[in-house]
Every structure is written in C-alpha cells, then in structure tokens.
Amino acid sequence: MDILRKEINSIYYSQALDSELLNAAEVAACRRLAEGYVSVNGACSVITDASCDRCYLFAGRLGALMGLTDAPQLYQEVDSSDEDIIYNRLHPEDLVEKRMLEYEYFKFVDALSPEEKLHYKATSRIRIMDRSGRYIVLDNSVQILRHSPAGKIWLIMCCYDLASSQEAGIDINPRIVNNLTGEIITMSLSDRKERILTEREKEILLLIKEGKPSKQIADILGISVHTVSRHRQNIIEKLSVGNSVEAVMAATSMKLL
Amino acid sequence: MDILRKEINSIYYSQALDSELLNAAEVAACRRLAEGYVSVNGACSVITDASCDRCYLFAGRLGALMGLTDAPQLYQEVDSSDEDIIYNRLHPEDLVEKRMLEYEYFKFVDALSPEEKLHYKATSRIRIMDRSGRYIVLDNSVQILRHSPAGKIWLIMCCYDLASSQEAGIDINPRIVNNLTGEIITMSLSDRKERILTEREKEILLLIKEGKPSKQIADILGISVHTVSRHRQNIIEKLSVGNSVEAVMAATSMKLL
C-alpha cells in the first residue's frame, strides 16, 4: 500500500531545497508551535522538514491512549518524512486514503503561489488502534507552515486529535480547507483508489486469492506464465509488500478487490 | 438569554483567587500558546483569566471571514470574561446552548482534583455570522489550561476553528472529552434549556407574545396583576433583556416557547 508514500516522498520530501537558504530558527519556531499545539489538544503533532526528510513528533496526554508511549509525554526525532509510530497504528484502509489525500493536497498546494500555500490544509477523520487494540477515531489535519525562499513546500505540520464523534464514516471524510476564505473542497478519493491496480492486476490478484498457481492463472487468462509473474511482481511492488499472499491481504484491507 | 452568563460569571469568573500567588509568567505562556494555536488553525483563540475577569483574544486568517476584523490578524485585550466580539456574531440558539455547555462543563471540572481539571475539554459545533451575513459552522473547544495553587479554575482557553463539515446539526453537538483516556461524554442540554423558564413564566410570555396586556393575562390565568408584573420582571431578568418585547424575541430565538 506504500506506492503513494513512495510517490509523495519522491516528489515532495526529496526536493532539492537549497538548505543554505533555510533558516534554522524557523524550524525551531515550528517545533515550538507543534509542542504548544499538543499541550493544548493533548494528542499528537508532527513537524516534517521536507528539506532533509526528517520529522519531529510530539505526543501529549492522548499519546498513551494512542499506544504511542507509556510516558505522559513523548518527543521523537525521526530520520524520515513519516511518523511510522503513528502510521503503524492506523487502520489500513484509512492509511491508504490518508496518503491519497496527502498526495492530492500536496499536488494542489504545489501549484499555488508561496503565500497561498499557507492558507490551505487537508483534514480527515482516521481510525487508530488504541493501547487496548480497539480503533479510536481521530481528527487529522495537514498543512504547510513554511515555504522555502523559492516558494517550495518546506515545513509541514500534521496534527492528530481525538474526534468528538467516535462514529467511523464510510471514508476518512477527506477535505481541503482554505483558512482565509472558509472555502471547503470535498475530495473524492475513490477514483484514485480504483486506479492503484489495473483491471488485469485485480483479475490476477483475485485468482491468487482463490489459491490458483501461476500456470493455471495463465491458462484462464490466455497469457503466458511469464506475463503472470511480471504482473505479480508489479502488484507486490505497487503495494509495497513481500509476496503475493501479503498482496492479497493488503489489497483486501484496502478494498481494492 | 444571559442568565447563564451571569451564573457562570458569578461562580467561576469572580472567584476569590489569591492573585499574589498567581504567576504572571503562566499567563504569558498561555497567551503565547493561544497565539501559536491561531497561527496554526487560522481561526480564533481566547485566553480568559478568571482571577481578574479579563480575556485575551487572538484571531488569525479566518478572523476576517468571521467578521471580527479587516486586518489579517487581530489581538484584543478585553476587561471581561467574555469575548463579546465573537458572542455577538453567534447564532442566538447556539449562544445559549454554548453557555449551557460551559455551565455544565465548569460545574463538572470544578468538582475534580486540580490535576484532573486539565484533562477535560468541552467541545461543540456553533454557527457564527460571517462578514457577508451568512452563518458558517465552527468547531469550538473550551478547556482549563492552568489551575490556581489552591486548585481553582484559573486560565481558560477557548478555540474556534472552521468545521470541516458546514452542515448545522440539530444542536451544537455538546460533548465533554477527556484528553487522557479518550472518554467522551455526550451532553444533553435540552433538559436544562427547558428549565430556564418555569411553566407559568412560559404561559405568561406566550400571552405577551399574543399582545395581551397584564390585566387580561391576570384574568385569563386567574392571578393578580401584581403577580403578572412580578413574573414579567423575573422573565426579563432571567433572559437579561430590557423589556417584555425583547423577552419574547429572546425566548423565541432560544426556542423556549
């Protein structure tokens, strides 16, 4: 399911930002902001520095409930653009939708002027496994806090807070919100989700799910065993899993089949 | 409709906090927190100091949309526990429900230990008139940031943010949320709302609404004109209005009749 993570990373977290032009005081200011935010909302906040693929995670009172820490507070610096400690606890369906939303959001803000980049945030409602193994519903927001002198996406803030309604919806309720005008764009991710795997790949994955070996799949579809193997490999790569069984599980949890 | 405001003020904003024991640095820290919060969520944040009936209001990018300011940012110090600049723009129905929620919330946290006071917040969804005269839906939260050395409610933070769903519900969706355990208490305010006016007061107000003079009301209800006048006075006082006509309007907008 990490094809989108790869796409996001390759486009936005590996930009050639001229780090000499970036002011370290701005990073410190945004870290203080994230820390302060968490001290208010109690939950969790992450600053990602796209110039160096690094993130700073702060978890407050809800961190323990979220299963992130046993301590009353948590601070972590991670050499990655991803807060894996959180992503690992996200419901698999929500993770893929969150990544899709982020992808659409980054694509959207990337096209804006530097100043406009700061006005939009992406919001969603996601499920995270709590310390007792149940899913709780969180409000999530992602926004650009600073752009580079050249106007590129630089410092990103991601906030998690307990949602005041614990009812899970039919999707993560993905939105892009303009903080200045109040404009709210309702995202439809289902199209994009549909397009992760090709129709042929889905056909093959369904046959794998039924327990059919490559030879039989090749016969059923009237293609060569070599072609089936190539498709298998593409599917495994797209879903960032280790083998065909894991691919079936990932695609099922993502409701791609 | 300000009977609850009076109740809240008299109980919580006029406490005898020993101001000599209160640390001014804490107020400054909470003001920075509110300012930082607004720089993230764009909307509006208020710190109320219950020791001196004073509040500090910060509005960010959404402030202009909310009709609070023409400037990109707004900072205001107010000699009152109320952020009138916002309350004046709230939908009258939502204002009374918000006050009820605050009243229930303060009563709830007041009974807790000093440490526990900091774990609960009250959340709601309210309508505010935007600069063009339409109502927009905001997420609102109220929480205690600091207690006094004696454990009393001292510094309170109130946050307003654009809700990602602009659909108004049947009520303000009042909740009390525990930041530590994730516990969510759904509040029912309708009982309390019902009890603001007595049945007799409602009867009288309905007759006033029909344009009947006191003498006629007295005859209909079989009570003295003096008693009708006394009820009128109580109603006017309870609803914090200037006269009977305003009382009818207030009670109607609050859906008490």
Side-chain angles (χ1 to χ4, degrees):
Chain A
M1 78 189 76
D2 276 351
I3 179 166
L4 278 165
R5 173 189 194 153
K6 283 179 189 163
E7 266 184 83
I8 293 173
N9 287 355
S10 67
I11 302 176
Y12 302 104
Y13 293 146
S14 312
Q15 304 171 82
L17 296 179
D18 189 342
S19 55
E20 286 170 26
L21 289 174
L22 302 175
N23 182 348
E26 294 294 319
V27 182
C30 289
R31 283 168 59 175
R32 277 196 303 274
L33 213 52
E35 201 174 358
Y37 197 90
V38 163
S39 82
V40 175
N41 77 2
C44 195
S45 180
V46 183
I47 298 291
T48 299
D49 184 341
S51 76
C52 60
D53 213 14
R54 194 170 181 74
C55 73
Y56 308 93
L57 181 144
F58 301 85
R61 296 188 196 103
L62 268 172
L65 176 70
M66 287 165 73
L68 304 180
T69 170
D70 291 326
Q73 276 172 2
L74 173 71
Y75 170 70
Q76 236 183 31
E77 269 186 59
V78 191
D79 273 323
S80 153
S81 60
D82 278 307
E83 48 261 36
D84 279 336
I85 186 176
I86 297 176
Y87 285 7
N88 290 340
R89 305 189 71 88
L90 276 180
H91 194 291
E93 282 170 35
D94 294 357
L95 177 55
V96 72
E97 289 190 18
K98 176 166 155 57
R99 287 217 191 280
M100 282 184 218
L101 172 62
E102 278 174 25
Y103 182 80
E104 297 296 334
Y105 168 69
F106 285 130
K107 209 169 59 178
F108 178 84
V109 292
D110 209 28
L112 300 174
S113 73
E115 177 58 19
E116 279 176 317
K117 279 187 174 58
L118 308 178
H119 296 160
Y120 286 91
K121 64 180 171 185
T123 67
S124 61
R125 186 189 46 216
I126 52 177
R127 288 165 291 176
I128 188 167
M129 190 178 284
D130 77 1
R131 63 183 160 214
S132 67
R134 282 172 320 165
Y135 280 106
I136 52 174
V137 181
L138 302 184
D139 286 326
N140 179 238
S141 70
V142 180
Q143 69 186 107
I144 317 295
L145 289 188
R146 296 286 188 278
H147 56 73
S148 73
K152 296 273 183 192
I153 294 171
W154 173 29
L155 296 173
I156 302 145
M157 184 172 186
C158 184
C159 297
Y160 302 85
D161 191 11
L162 191 71
S164 57
S165 163
Q166 288 295 302
E167 287 155 38
I170 50 161
D171 61 10
I172 63 166
N173 197 30
R175 317 259 176 163
I176 292 179
V177 178
N178 184 320
N179 262 339
L180 194 62
T181 62
E183 177 196 8
I184 294 175
I185 306 166
T186 304
M187 307 296 292
S188 172
L189 303 176
S190 50
D191 282 1
R192 185 169 173 92
K193 200 165 158 183
E194 280 293 310
R195 284 183 278 116
I196 290 180
L197 296 179
T198 65
E199 287 311 308
R200 180 45 59 102
E201 286 166 352
K202 286 182 200 168
E203 245 175 341
I204 290 172
L205 210 48
L206 278 171
L207 292 167
I208 294 173
K209 194 177 181 178
E210 290 169 16
K212 301 210 168 22
S214 288
K215 176 74 186 72
Q216 207 175 334
I217 295 173
D219 290 346
I220 292 169
L221 299 177
I223 54 178
S224 74
V225 175
H226 175 73
T227 304
V228 173
S229 298
R230 195 165 44 78
H231 281 304
R232 266 186 198 264
Q233 206 44 51
N234 286 342
I235 294 166
I236 288 169
E237 207 160 294
K238 279 188 176 181
L239 300 178
S240 297
V241 290
N243 56 50
S244 301
V245 176
E246 284 178 23
V248 168
M249 284 163 55
T252 305
S253 77
M254 286 162 70
K255 295 189 175 163
L256 299 179
L257 293 183
Chain B
M1 81 190 74
D2 277 349
I3 179 167
L4 278 164
R5 175 187 194 155
K6 284 181 188 163
E7 264 186 83
I8 293 172
N9 288 355
S10 68
I11 303 176
Y12 302 105
Y13 293 145
S14 313
Q15 303 171 81
L17 295 180
D18 188 343
S19 56
E20 286 171 28
L21 288 174
L22 302 175
N23 183 348
E26 294 294 318
V27 182
C30 290
R31 283 168 59 173
R32 277 197 303 275
L33 213 53
E35 200 173 1
Y37 197 89
V38 163
S39 82
V40 174
N41 78 1
C44 196
S45 181
V46 183
I47 298 290
T48 299
D49 184 340
S51 75
C52 58
D53 213 12
R54 191 170 183 73
C55 73
Y56 307 94
L57 180 144
F58 301 85
R61 298 189 193 103
L62 268 172
L65 176 71
M66 287 164 73
L68 304 181
T69 171
D70 291 325
Q73 277 174 3
L74 173 73
Y75 171 68
Q76 237 184 29
E77 267 187 60
V78 191
D79 272 324
S80 154
S81 60
D82 278 306
E83 47 262 37
D84 279 337
I85 186 175
I86 298 177
Y87 285 6
N88 290 342
R89 305 190 70 88
L90 276 180
H91 194 291
E93 283 170 35
D94 294 358
L95 176 56
V96 71
E97 288 191 17
K98 177 168 154 54
R99 288 218 192 278
M100 282 185 216
L101 173 61
E102 277 173 26
Y103 182 81
E104 296 297 332
Y105 168 70
F106 285 131
K107 208 169 61 175
F108 178 84
V109 292
D110 208 31
L112 301 174
S113 73
E115 177 59 17
E116 278 176 318
K117 279 187 174 56
L118 309 178
H119 295 160
Y120 287 90
K121 65 179 171 187
T123 68
S124 60
R125 187 189 45 217
I126 52 177
R127 289 164 291 174
I128 187 166
M129 190 178 282
D130 76 3
R131 62 181 161 215
S132 68
R134 282 172 320 165
Y135 279 107
I136 52 174
V137 181
L138 302 183
D139 286 326
N140 178 238
S141 70
V142 180
Q143 69 187 107
I144 316 297
L145 289 188
R146 297 286 190 276
H147 56 73
S148 73
K152 295 272 181 193
I153 294 171
W154 172 30
L155 297 173
I156 302 146
M157 183 173 188
C158 184
C159 297
Y160 301 85
D161 191 11
L162 191 70
S164 58
S165 164
Q166 288 295 304
E167 287 155 37
I170 48 161
D171 61 12
I172 64 165
N173 197 28
R175 317 257 178 164
I176 292 179
V177 177
N178 184 319
N179 262 338
L180 194 62
T181 62
E183 177 196 8
I184 294 175
I185 306 165
T186 303
M187 306 296 290
S188 172
L189 303 176
S190 49
D191 282 1
R192 183 168 177 93
K193 202 165 157 183
E194 280 293 311
R195 281 183 279 115
I196 289 180
L197 297 178
T198 66
E199 285 312 308
R200 182 42 62 103
E201 285 165 352
K202 286 182 202 169
E203 247 174 339
I204 290 171
L205 210 47
L206 278 170
L207 292 167
I208 294 173
K209 195 177 182 178
E210 290 168 17
K212 300 210 166 26
S214 286
K215 174 76 185 73
Q216 207 175 334
I217 295 173
D219 289 346
I220 293 170
L221 299 177
I223 55 180
S224 73
V225 175
H226 174 74
T227 305
V228 173
S229 299
R230 194 165 45 78
H231 281 305
R232 266 187 198 264
Q233 207 43 53
N234 285 344
I235 295 166
I236 288 169
E237 206 160 295
K238 279 189 177 181
L239 300 177
S240 295
V241 289
N243 56 52
S244 300
V245 176
E246 283 178 24
V248 168
M249 285 164 56
T252 306
S253 78
M254 286 163 70
K255 295 188 175 166
L256 298 180
L257 294 182

